Amino acid sequence: MSLAYRRPPNGPWTARVSLVSIVVPCFNEQESLPELHRQVSAALEDCRHEIRFLFIDDGSHDDTVGAIRRAATQDPRVQGLSLARNFGHEAAIEAGLRNAVGDAVIVMDADLQDSADAVLQLIAAWEDGADVAYAVRQKRKEGVLLRAAFSGFYRLAGRMMSIDLPRDAGPFSLMSRRVVDALNAMPEHNRYFPGLRAFAGFKQVPVEVERRERELGETKYSIARRTAGAVNAIVSFSKLPLRAVTMLGFVSAAIAIAGGLFVIVGSVLGNGLVPGWASLIVVILLLAGVQLVTLGIVGEYVGKIYDEVRRRPTYIAADRIDGDGGPTS
Ligand code: UDP
Ligand code: MG
């Protein structure tokens, strides 16, 4: 089935039907995927726009590909793309945005944490003129510790980033075609989708939704992966850590000069030699620590530069999946 945009024959301009693609990154989501497809289809039953689903299989180890193929057999609006291995959530979203057709593209998780009804709210905001309608979670359902960590991250990121990062807004959002094109034109390899989406600008509208608990399957994110994601998000959008390190250097240099003066003046005045071993060792340790931290932060950025200059693709697509049996390329 062609994915080309179709206008209803002889339809009046006001009754124009738009094409809306729903991009769903899927990593081991064989249980959630059919349920998501069912719930979203039901919620969008009366929607006047033409809907497409694009499931991105991010190198799943389970039968996610089979689930996509079954959905595509039942429903011609479904297409799938399978990546050559697990490239991560960000890469799967990027693959989806690059391959999605339509006047608007929605990105949502497979795990039903983003509710099907919220999709309608996003579409309504777009009809009212939004270029980016992003879901803002009213209440998080995760544990206390994780909630505190998320809140700390958004506070830190909000202070440090050169863009206005909306609080509590994840990937779940709708973007108009011009925003999707703007994102696809961005060349960087270290991608933090909510940040890039905010960077794009245009008319950004928050839509309050409730984020539910994951119903099926389990989270694909370990604490280590989340931490790496948070560091990536900040380093991608802020040079503040580098500047902070410079400030730290100035402060420790000032302390060193003051200490040096103290020692010189003391010895000229002949007040006797203070053994001062303890203070010496403290200063050395302090400076060594400052230098290591500095090196680490600089290294974070050097690593990013390395990633960018290698120009490796962020994902490699293996197969297109549709309903007619085997994968087609
Ligand atoms: N995901 C992915 N690749 C990965 C990890 C996750 O495509 O390497 C998908 C996953 O299938 C889900 C979405 O990204 O649709 C969010 O993942 P998850 O629900 O595990 O994260 P959480 O909601 O716990 O932050
Ligand atoms: Mg989830």
Side-chain angles (χ1 to χ4, degrees):
M1 178 168 183
S2 149
L3 288 184
Y5 168 70
R6 281 188 284 124
R7 230 177 90 190
N10 309 323
W13 185 245
T14 45
R16 173 173 183 261
V17 176
S18 301
L19 186 59
V20 178
S21 278
I22 301 178
V23 165
V24 188
C26 305
F27 178 52
N28 298 345
E29 302 283 7
Q30 61 178 12
E31 296 127 5
S32 311
L33 197 148
E35 191 53 27
L36 174 102
H37 177 227
R38 198 187 60 70
Q39 287 190 13
V40 174
S41 297
L44 295 182
E45 189 107 299
D46 300 327
C47 178
R48 63 193 174 96
H49 304 296
E50 215 173 305
I51 304 294
R52 293 276 189 280
F53 290 91
L54 178 57
F55 291 105
I56 308 295
D57 160 51
D58 186 16
S60 302
H61 311 307
D62 67 358
D63 194 30
T64 298
V65 171
I68 298 175
R69 193 167 299 135
R70 282 189 291 279
T73 313
Q74 291 163 9
D75 181 352
R77 302 173 305 173
V78 172
Q79 280 225 325
L81 182 69
S82 109
L83 305 187
R85 63 170 170 83
N86 178 240
F87 283 92
H89 192 184
E90 287 290 338
I93 292 176
E94 186 187 346
L97 291 183
R98 290 197 188 280
N99 288 283
V101 291
D103 307 295
V105 178
I106 294 173
V107 172
M108 75 187 294
D109 287 357
D111 57 8
L112 303 163
Q113 277 184 303
D114 307 327
S115 79
D117 295 330
V119 172
L120 279 178
Q121 288 173 263
L122 296 182
I123 293 178
W126 174 57
E127 286 169 343
D128 285 344
D131 279 289
V132 174
Y134 58 92
V136 179
R137 295 148 199 162
Q138 273 168 338
K139 278 189 249 132
R140 279 192 179 267
K141 290 283 172 65
E142 281 101 355
V144 183
L145 263 182
L146 203 53
R147 276 214 310 265
F150 276 125
S151 151
F153 165 71
Y154 280 110
R155 205 162 296 160
L156 191 69
R159 294 240 169 122
M160 288 172 47
M161 287 186 182
S162 45
I163 48 159
D164 215 0
L165 185 72
R167 268 184 80 95
D168 283 332
F172 186 31
S173 56
L174 176 149
M175 286 148 292
S176 67
R177 176 42 61 186
R178 56 181 180 168
V179 173
V180 175
D181 288 344
L183 288 177
N184 288 344
M186 292 181 190
E188 61 234 78
H189 289 220
N190 281 289
R191 295 177 92 90
Y192 171 57
F193 172 59
L196 291 179
R197 192 183 61 206
F199 176 87
F202 295 106
K203 190 167 181 231
Q204 308 241 347
V205 175
V207 175
E208 297 233 321
V209 300
E210 195 176 316
R211 191 161 161 89
R212 297 180 297 179
E213 250 165 299
R214 200 178 226 286
E215 282 179 14
L216 301 162
E218 50 194 42
T219 179
K220 308 298 182 296
Y221 278 94
S222 60
I223 296 292
R225 234 173 144 179
R226 281 194 206 278
T227 311
V231 170
N232 179 36
I234 289 176
V235 173
S236 304
F237 281 95
S238 170
K239 294 189 199 75
L240 204 73
L242 287 176
R243 283 193 205 123
V245 151
T246 314
M247 287 309 297
L248 208 62
F250 277 121
V251 170
S252 65
I255 294 174
I257 289 170
L261 282 178
F262 182 76
V263 170
I264 292 168
V265 170
S267 72
V268 166
L269 293 183
N271 288 349
L273 273 181
V274 188
W277 188 83
S279 52
L280 198 65
I281 222 68
V282 165
V283 170
I284 289 175
L285 286 181
L286 179 79
L287 287 184
V290 167
Q291 281 171 3
L292 284 181
V293 169
T294 308
L295 215 58
I297 293 178
V298 173
E300 234 4 273
Y301 286 91
V302 173
K304 294 269 174 248
I305 297 170
Y306 184 47
D307 280 346
E308 298 293 336
V309 296
R310 268 187 314 198
R311 311 208 117 268
R312 283 196 190 139
T314 38
Y315 67 89
I316 294 169
D319 299 302
R320 278 196 178 278
I321 307 163
D322 52 31
D324 334 309
T328 54
S329 293

